Amino acid sequence: MTIVRASQLVKRFGPVTAVHELNLTVGEGEVAGLLGPNGAGKSTTLHMLLGLITPDAGSIELFGKELSRHRTEVLSQVNFAASYVDLPGVLRVREVLDAFARLYALRRPAHRVAEVIELFELGPLGRRQMMALSSGQRTRVQLAKALLNAPRLLVLDEPTANLDPDAGDRIRGLLSRLAAENGTSMLITSHNMREVERMCDRIHFLSGGRIVAAGSAKELAGRYEAEDLEEVFLKVARG
Ligand SMILES: Nc1ncnc2c1ncn2[C@@H]1O[C@H](COP(=O)(O)OP(=O)(O)OP(=O)(O)O)[C@@H](O)[C@H]1O
Ligand SMILES: [Mg+2]
């Protein structure tokens, strides 16, 4: 089943065309990467897929249903984490998760909150206020919140940017397991090429709002006669 199907998406901000005629699909259980230089249009693309901003042209289908017409239904099966989204600073970690669990109208909210706390080793931080957390700890709360509703599609905008190498490695392992075992589809942006090589089945390169290359890390390295994805990135970004 096709989880994400974006067709000919266009988004303009005044004179800037942030995304131009973008086509993208993500399959069930697929971990897809969206790469590209700063300002390429990655976050704009994710925000359109999440219904946070409206495309100027094109269409978006999630789980085979048009987002604009089945918004509540499809978005209830999606979740999102990004380091630039702030959760309420005065709330304690557990309060944040409880609030989102209720917002999502989960059937067994307390049970699910306990599960994600366990998954992200947040137990010792449960009573801490959000504003008293380090950026890496905040990232783990963001990811825990994003998994509360057991989404079929997880959209992650630079999820591991604030994590130390050990925490990053553990989170990558956890997310990869989630995709493999639960069939969760993911669309991830990252500037960490090793992370993308390790996690993503398929990579879409954006440059100037357009997809300029797509394939697995191996395919892309072959096509661009590059040692690794980092070299592919430099070749693509520098045209
Ligand atoms: N709300 C906005 N108003 C005006 N311009 C915007 C807005 N959001 C994004 N843009 C512009 O659209 C383009 C794409 O931005 P976007 O945030 O999608 O890039 P990105 O690929 O996520 O970059 P980064 O790697 O730095 O996160 C940029 O030129 C940016 O300045
Ligand atoms: Mg961005």
Side-chain angles (χ1 to χ4, degrees):
M1 173 169 205
T2 306
I3 300 298
V4 178
R5 184 185 299 282
S7 311
Q8 297 294 104
L9 281 189
V10 176
K11 184 66 193 180
R12 296 184 204 92
F13 295 108
V16 176
T17 301
V19 173
H20 188 74
E21 295 177 358
L22 177 135
N23 296 304
L24 176 81
T25 60
V26 181
E28 191 153 19
E30 184 184 346
V31 180
L34 205 52
L35 295 193
N38 295 134
K42 302 179 298 294
S43 296
T44 304
T45 300
L46 298 189
H47 296 165
M48 286 192 280
L49 297 177
L50 291 162
L52 296 173
I53 57 174
T54 310
D56 292 307
S59 68
I60 296 168
E61 276 180 21
L62 301 178
F63 321 111
K65 292 189 174 164
E66 209 180 308
L67 171 61
S68 57
R69 284 197 292 149
H70 302 272
R71 191 183 163 89
T72 309
E73 181 191 344
V74 299
L75 290 180
S76 70
Q77 303 173 71
V78 177
N79 214 316
F80 174 57
S83 48
Y84 51 79
V85 177
D86 271 332
L87 297 169
V90 293
L91 291 192
R92 299 173 195 284
V93 170
R94 182 176 286 276
E95 289 171 338
V96 167
L97 295 172
D98 283 339
F100 276 96
R102 263 178 283 146
L103 201 61
Y104 298 153
L106 301 183
R107 247 180 305 150
R108 298 167 69 200
H111 179 76
R112 187 59 189 157
V113 167
E115 277 181 348
V116 298
I117 282 180
E118 167 92 29
L119 203 57
F120 290 95
E121 299 168 33
L122 290 170
L125 299 178
R127 293 188 46 77
R128 283 253 213 114
Q129 283 184 310
M130 285 303 298
M131 61 188 171
L133 299 183
S134 77
S135 53
Q137 292 168 335
R138 246 173 257 179
T139 299
R140 272 155 54 208
V141 179
Q142 284 272 359
L143 287 166
K145 167 251 153 199
L147 287 185
L148 273 174
N149 64 331
R152 285 172 79 191
L153 172 66
L154 196 52
V155 177
L156 303 171
D157 202 351
E158 302 190 36
T160 58
N162 291 322
L163 297 176
D164 71 57
D166 172 49
D169 186 65
R170 277 190 283 162
I171 297 291
R172 280 189 282 280
L174 196 154
L175 293 173
S176 294
R177 264 201 315 284
L178 208 67
E181 290 169 15
N182 297 8
T184 309
S185 304
M186 299 184 196
L187 183 58
I188 299 180
T189 76
S190 174
H191 291 298
N192 177 341
M193 294 304 116
R194 282 178 58 198
E195 162 169 295
V196 174
E197 264 165 344
R198 176 170 156 201
M199 286 190 68
C200 297
D201 304 309
R202 196 172 154 78
I203 295 155
H204 305 264
F205 255 103
L206 265 179
S207 180
R210 294 161 199 265
I211 296 212
V212 292
S216 68
K218 245 204 185 108
E219 285 163 2
L220 288 170
R223 205 176 311 155
Y224 285 88
E225 296 176 354
E227 285 276 307
D228 52 23
L229 201 57
E230 176 127 1
E231 203 183 325
V232 174
F233 188 104
L234 296 178
K235 287 188 168 177
V236 174
R238 292 170 182 174

